Amino acid sequence: MGKRLSNPTSSYTYELAAILIHKGTAANSGHYVAHIKDESNGQWWEFDDETVSKLGLHPFGENLGKTSNKDDRKPQGISIEGSVTNNNNGHQEAASSSSPGEMFSSTDAYMLMYKCTNKDGNATESNKIMEFNNSLLPHHFLDEINEQNASCMKSCEEYQSKKGSHLAYITERRQEVKSILIEAPANPEDNSYFWISTDWLRQWADNITPPLSIDNGPIQCEHGKVPVSKLTSMKRLSAAAWQKLFSKYGGGPTLSGDDFCMVCLKDGAKNAVSADVYRDRKESFKNLAEAALAGSCSDSPSYFISKAWLTHWLRRKNAGILSDADNGPTSALRCRHGYLLPEHAPGAKRVSVPESLWLFLYQTISEKVDDVVTFPSDCQPCKICSQELSDVASVEGNLRAVKLEQRYKHEKLISGKSFALRPGEKYYLVPSSWLSEWRAYITTTGKNISSLPEPQSLEAVVSSLICEKHSRLLQKPLDLVCKRGSITQKTSNNDGLTIIPEYDWKLFSEEWSATPGKGISAEIAFSKDAQDKVHGSSEAMPITDGNLDQSLYGANDDFGAREPYVRTDPEVCEECVGERESCALVQKLNYQNEDIHVYFVRGKAPPKSIKEASKDVPVSDRRISKRSRRTSSGNSISLKVSGSTSVYQLKLMIWESLGIVKENQKLHKGNVEIEGDLATLADKSIFPGDVLWVRDSEIFENRDIADEISEQKGDILQVEEGFRGTLLTSSVSAQLCQGITFSE
């Protein structure tokens, strides 16, 4: 650097002290870090905001590549010398930094900071360790550093002091435990020993901080002595070991070798003898108990006990004395008034046992169970309970008779099968849901005869079917079926109105509080042509007795021209029904996060059960597995979808679950193939619980679904949402709307 100084005759040595680095692709933005050398030890550090990292003895880290020859410089980037010496002739020599002649290369360094280390003619090594001079730091930095250093030194001294005292305490504790455990074993020939709780001794020996005082309470009996039953919970200590523990920790109580409890010992022996006696006596009474259960009992005085209790007593594996948890033999026979329950009461089955067996049971049970009630065999049941049970039995008997009578009178309706309908005859309509509820109520018998509530009043149900605005029907009759010259009605448990004969309606009016003249009458009529058929319409071809048989048994082409329908009085309110059905359809279109099922069919054609599965009513309460499961025809999966889910999105779900490429999916609902990736599931009449099936055409090669998502992410057109969920969407299936008509 001499030629750039005012006095070029002097020789100066400069050492690299810091490097400022810019990271980024543009000059007006990026990130800045600094590599700074610690003058006290030659270590380099990287300062990156709040992160400081140690680099070692090289400015760019120990592991980065470097060249040892100063002339071997790369054309790109900046070559950085550890130190440069000017010897007055303009030639620069690499001085030793970490090692002589080291060169470093960087493409990010944009400012190098050198520090003059020597201006003597006899230059010394630039990497010599310099004394740190506190005077170079600002005063507020120096004060803060000194304060933190003092705090750190104080903490270290306190830690060392605590560490020393703690180690000394641990050593003292170890010596204490060792010395006492050595003296703990008592001499078998010496009767001078003491008892101590094993749990307390274990806590004292295993923990650094021992318990405050000795606790022998857990090994004491109720008499304040040592019972034989606690033998496994205590340990015998020598007198010397006990005196050391007791003098230091205190507590107690002190239990010497003479403090064994004779009372508990005698009670234990007595119980053992009693158990043997009880076992022997039970064997002698076993035959009497079995005879009582069989129904044979001597004419001597006898007593009632619970049949279930006696059965359990005989089957008991442990023949010892009964435990505290056992109930008495007569507890199940005692009513809330304290008397004997009637035998036909629930759980009150009883048997008569001889007096000898009862006395044996009473003696053994009364020791464990309080208030054992004795019921002699001539004891009368509780009058209050008998009257209550009689009333209940009377009600159930009457109910049973009523149900039996209705089952007999409505034999055809109970079966739930459709029956042939004849034009010209008068019928009546009732809601299918009420009829299903009535069938369930009438057919419930036995113990559950009162479990189901009565169906609602039929007159109230019929009144709810009439709209207030037009005084017409709010529901339609179920469709008719013509097959082999016979007209029948479809069946349903929940929807629509079901036809019943006039005879059954008159009986229902008497049985379920309905006015016979306020029923919904119906008859079978034929429309003038098939396109004019409207439910409940009063315009129809009149049917006379002359053409009745012809209507029923005529040619098949006549049925095709004149389709039968149900004519009701009052008529069906098409306006209100259409409005309700349209609201129901809109709600159906707007479903969210519901399940549909997709079957992967491997053959040419799917099984009939899969093709027709979507016509079945789904069971909402049935648990559905979300995993793909194997079936006889392929795999089955359940998918969570919404009405606004597109066919494209559904195919991606199938692709992810079953591994079928989107282009190879032949997706069907029933016999109809689902096409049009931009259409929604609601547009394609796919609703919760529907069953779809898919077949792999294997035309296109398999590929990763991630590629499809990345390619199509910006290409999918947005579907018009303005009329989503309404009947104005042009692609809604006509089948959904075919039953909805609006009045002019």
Side-chain angles (χ1 to χ4, degrees):
M1 298 292 291
K3 64 181 181 179
R4 300 182 182 277
L5 302 177
S6 60
N7 186 7
T9 60
S10 301
S11 177
Y12 293 90
T13 301
Y14 290 84
E15 185 176 280
L16 185 65
I19 306 172
L20 303 184
I21 297 175
H22 170 263
K23 296 182 179 180
T25 57
N28 58 351
S29 64
H31 184 62
Y32 297 87
V33 298
H35 291 188
I36 303 176
K37 183 179 180 180
D38 186 355
E39 297 179 1
S40 65
N41 54 21
Q43 294 286 342
W44 283 85
W45 298 83
E46 181 183 64
F47 295 84
D48 185 356
D49 291 341
E50 71 276 6
T51 304
V52 179
S53 306
K54 186 176 182 180
L55 298 176
L57 296 176
H58 303 100
F60 296 103
E62 298 280 359
N63 297 325
L64 295 179
K66 56 182 180 290
T67 60
S68 58
N69 189 343
K70 68 176 184 178
D71 295 328
D72 186 15
R73 300 181 181 179
K74 298 181 180 179
Q76 71 275 16
I78 300 173
S79 295
I80 304 168
E81 296 187 59
S83 61
V84 180
T85 301
N86 179 22
N87 58 3
N88 292 330
N89 58 5
H91 181 68
Q92 297 177 345
E93 295 179 355
S96 61
S97 171
S98 297
S99 59
E102 263 189 324
M103 304 292 295
F104 306 98
S105 178
S106 170
T107 58
D108 295 325
Y110 77 99
M111 182 180 291
L112 310 179
M113 302 181 70
Y114 286 88
K115 184 176 181 180
C116 181
T117 60
N118 188 284
K119 59 181 180 179
D120 187 8
N122 299 322
T124 58
E125 293 183 358
S126 62
N127 65 340
K128 98 175 183 181
I129 299 176
M130 302 175 60
E131 293 293 334
F132 182 72
N133 189 357
N134 289 339
S135 62
L136 299 177
L137 294 176
H139 290 295
H140 65 282
F141 279 173
L142 185 59
D143 293 342
E144 184 176 354
I145 291 173
N146 291 335
E147 182 180 351
Q148 292 184 7
N149 286 342
S151 176
C152 180
M153 292 300 296
K154 182 179 179 181
S155 299
C156 292
E157 292 174 358
E158 292 177 353
Y159 171 77
Q160 290 296 336
S161 176
K162 290 181 180 180
K163 179 180 177 181
S165 61
H166 193 63
L167 289 176
Y169 173 75
I170 293 176
T171 303
E172 182 182 355
R173 277 283 296 141
R174 288 176 176 172
Q175 292 297 330
E176 177 192 13
V177 172
K178 184 177 180 181
S179 63
I180 291 180
L181 292 182
I182 290 175
E183 297 181 2
N187 189 346
E189 299 178 357
D190 188 3
N191 292 329
S192 177
Y193 59 85
F194 295 84
W195 295 105
I196 191 169
S197 170
T198 306
D199 291 338
W200 186 91
L201 189 62
R202 184 179 294 109
Q203 293 179 12
W204 170 81
D206 293 345
N207 296 322
I208 296 177
T209 303
L212 296 177
S213 59
I214 299 173
D215 183 14
N216 276 340
I219 63 174
Q220 272 188 306
C221 68
E222 57 185 358
H223 311 105
K225 300 291 185 177
V226 178
V228 67
S229 59
K230 301 288 186 179
L231 191 60
T232 58
S233 301
M234 53 189 174
K235 184 175 180 61
R236 191 169 59 172
L237 289 182
S238 64
W242 169 258
Q243 290 300 330
K244 285 186 177 181
L245 286 175
F246 187 74
S247 61
K248 182 173 183 179
Y249 297 100
T254 301
L255 300 174
S256 65
D258 298 330
D259 288 332
F260 55 88
C261 185
M262 290 299 298
V263 177
C264 293
L265 185 61
K266 291 178 180 180
D267 289 342
K270 181 180 178 180
N271 290 335
V273 173
S274 298
D276 294 337
V277 173
Y278 176 81
R279 189 181 300 107
D280 296 338
R281 294 188 65 189
K282 180 181 178 181
E283 287 295 326
S284 64
F285 286 111
K286 184 176 180 181
N287 293 333
L288 291 177
E290 292 176 347
L293 287 174
S296 61
C297 184
S298 61
D299 296 334
S300 60
S302 58
Y303 296 84
F304 286 134
I305 66 172
S306 170
K307 184 177 182 180
W309 187 93
L310 185 60
T311 303
H312 176 73
W313 181 76
L314 282 174
R315 294 177 180 175
R316 188 186 181 99
K317 292 183 179 180
N318 184 6
I321 298 178
L322 299 177
S323 65
D324 296 337
D326 289 320
N327 296 322
T330 58
S331 61
L333 306 181
R334 186 178 181 181
C335 72
R336 65 180 186 275
H337 310 104
Y339 301 105
L340 180 66
L341 271 174
E343 188 170 7
H344 54 278
K349 296 293 183 183
R350 78 282 306 268
V351 293
S352 297
V353 297
E355 184 177 19
S356 57
L357 177 57
W358 167 250
L359 292 176
F360 166 69
L361 294 175
Y362 183 84
Q363 291 172 0
T364 55
I365 296 298
S366 60
E367 297 177 1
K368 300 293 183 181
V369 181
D370 297 333
D371 195 18
V372 178
V373 182
T374 301
F375 292 124
S377 58
D378 57 353
C379 181
Q380 297 299 319
C382 177
K383 294 182 179 180
I384 300 176
C385 294
S386 298
Q387 184 61 40
E388 292 176 354
L389 291 173
S390 178
D391 295 341
V392 172
S394 177
V395 171
E396 291 184 350
N398 294 336
L399 182 59
R400 189 177 292 104
V402 169
K403 290 186 176 183
L404 181 62
E405 183 181 4
Q406 290 195 32
R407 288 200 302 271
Y408 175 75
K409 291 180 178 179
H410 303 280
E411 184 177 359
K412 292 184 178 180
L413 287 183
I414 285 292
S415 65
K417 297 180 180 179
S418 58
F419 56 93
L421 303 174
R422 295 178 59 86
E425 290 190 8
K426 189 175 183 179
Y427 300 97
Y428 282 85
L429 296 172
V430 294
S432 302
S433 57
W434 185 92
L435 199 59
S436 299
E437 187 179 353
W438 170 80
R439 287 195 187 101
Y441 175 75
I442 292 300
T443 55
T444 302
T445 58
K447 295 182 180 180
N448 300 324
I449 192 168
S450 303
S451 60
L452 293 180
E454 288 187 357
Q456 190 179 358
S457 169
L458 190 54
E459 185 165 348
V461 172
V462 172
S463 299
S464 66
L465 298 176
I466 307 300
C467 68
E468 297 180 358
K469 184 177 180 180
H470 308 99
S471 298
R472 294 184 178 183
L473 282 179
L474 291 174
Q475 290 190 26
K476 294 181 179 181
L478 296 172
D479 293 337
L480 300 180
V481 178
C482 295
K483 188 175 182 180
R484 297 178 182 177
S486 177
I487 302 175
T488 57
Q489 188 184 31
K490 292 183 177 180
T491 59
S492 174
N493 292 328
N494 300 304
D495 302 326
L497 302 176
T498 299
I499 296 175
I500 63 173
E502 184 179 11
Y503 169 78
D504 290 286
W505 168 254
K506 291 180 179 180
L507 293 177
F508 277 156
S509 300
E510 299 174 1
E511 297 162 352
W512 299 102
S513 304
T515 304
K518 292 186 178 181
I520 305 171
S521 62
E523 61 178 338
I524 308 301
F526 287 88
S527 59
K528 293 182 179 179
D529 64 50
Q531 297 180 352
D532 294 337
K533 189 253 310 182
V534 178
H535 280 293
S537 175
S538 59
E539 295 183 4
M541 178 180 292
I543 300 177
T544 62
D545 293 339
N547 60 9
L548 178 61
D549 293 338
Q550 183 180 358
S551 300
L552 288 175
Y553 307 109
N556 291 334
D557 57 349
D558 190 47
F559 269 126
R562 297 185 294 112
E563 186 176 355
Y565 72 98
V566 180
R567 182 167 59 190
T568 65
D569 182 21
E571 297 179 359
V572 175
C573 185
E574 300 294 341
E575 180 179 349
C576 295
V577 171
E579 183 178 352
R580 292 176 65 179
E581 291 184 351
S582 64
C583 292
L585 178 58
V586 169
Q587 185 177 3
K588 191 176 182 181
L589 292 171
N590 289 332
Y591 64 91
Q592 297 288 334
N593 199 30
E594 299 289 347
D595 283 317
I596 64 170
H597 317 293
V598 180
Y599 283 84
F600 177 24
V601 177
R602 301 181 183 276
K604 293 184 178 180
K608 186 178 180 181
S609 59
I610 295 179
K611 293 179 67 174
E612 297 182 354
S614 59
K615 301 178 183 179
D616 299 334
V617 178
V619 181
S620 59
D621 295 335
R622 186 176 66 182
R623 181 181 179 274
I624 300 171
S625 174
K626 301 299 183 292
R627 298 178 298 173
S628 174
R629 61 181 187 271
R630 194 78 174 178
T631 64
S632 58
S633 57
N635 291 348
S636 169
I637 57 172
S638 295
L639 301 175
K640 290 285 187 182
V641 296
S642 302
S644 57
T645 303
S646 66
V647 175
Y648 174 81
Q649 292 171 327
L650 176 60
K651 288 186 176 181
L652 289 184
M653 295 180 191
I654 298 174
W655 188 351
E656 182 179 9
S657 301
L658 298 177
I660 308 175
V661 179
K662 177 179 69 70
E663 293 80 6
N664 289 341
Q665 294 179 23
K666 297 299 180 181
L667 190 60
H668 296 76
K669 178 183 177 181
N671 294 319
V672 179
E673 185 174 356
I674 300 172
E675 299 176 332
D677 288 353
L678 297 182
T680 65
L681 301 190
D683 295 340
K684 295 298 183 180
S685 306
I686 299 174
F687 300 108
D690 280 353
V691 176
L692 312 181
W693 58 277
V694 62
R695 186 169 54 236
D696 188 356
S697 65
E698 300 181 356
I699 297 176
F700 296 90
E701 293 183 359
N702 192 17
R703 67 180 191 278
D704 194 343
I705 190 174
D707 299 335
E708 170 71 17
I709 295 176
S710 61
E711 292 174 2
Q712 300 294 334
K713 186 174 182 181
D715 298 339
I716 301 177
L717 299 177
Q718 296 295 325
V719 182
E720 172 60 44
E721 297 289 340
F723 300 105
R724 176 69 59 228
T726 70
L727 296 178
L728 299 178
T729 306
S730 59
S731 58
V732 173
S733 173
Q735 294 179 356
L736 295 174
C737 305
Q738 65 180 0
I740 302 178
T741 56
F742 300 90
S743 63
E744 297 179 357

